[in-house]
Amino acid sequence: MFPELSFLFIGEFISDIGFALKIFVLIAIVSFIKSHLGSGPFAVILMGLTAYFVLFDQWKLFGGIYVLYVLFLFGVGHLMVDFFFVAQHAPGDEMSHIPSHNMPKGRMH
């Protein structure tokens, strides 16, 4: 109908995003199980069963949970960086973030 708008392919883009999200979830599952159980036969079987259950059987539930989890982690990480590294402290007897201001008042080299 509108050939000039055929480059948008919104449905294909969303399915590609879903596929990429499944890959990230699969990597997270494998990483979690390998770090806790190693890479023995039991761990491989557990990886396969968990990956099948999460990625194919219950994806609608776990996909949404994973997106919310990642957004929460980015938000908390941003707050921690702001609080510990970016926040400006009030002047006073505290240590300054500028090293030359931390020298004793009487001695200047």
Side-chain angles (χ1 to χ4, degrees), residues 56-85:
F56 299 109
D57 194 34
Q58 295 294 319
W59 176 246
K60 291 188 189 263
L61 173 68
F62 287 107
I65 290 172
Y66 185 73
V67 168
L68 291 175
Y69 172 72
V70 168
L71 290 174
F72 176 74
L73 283 183
F74 282 146
V76 169
H78 183 267
L79 288 175
M80 289 177 68
V81 167
D82 280 349
F83 181 74
F84 288 113
F85 299 111

Side-chain angles (χ1 to χ4, degrees), residues 9-59:
F9 298 116
I10 301 298
E12 291 180 15
F13 177 73
I14 291 173
S15 68
D16 289 344
I17 294 297
F19 180 70
L21 189 62
K22 284 183 179 184
I23 290 173
F24 285 124
V25 170
L26 179 64
I27 291 170
I29 290 170
V30 169
S31 169
F32 180 81
I33 292 176
K34 281 184 99 172
S35 69
H36 286 79
L37 297 177
S39 57
F42 177 70
V44 172
I45 291 170
L46 191 62
M47 281 181 222
L49 291 175
T50 306
Y52 174 77
F53 180 72
V54 170
L55 297 178
F56 299 109
D57 194 34
Q58 295 294 319
W59 176 246

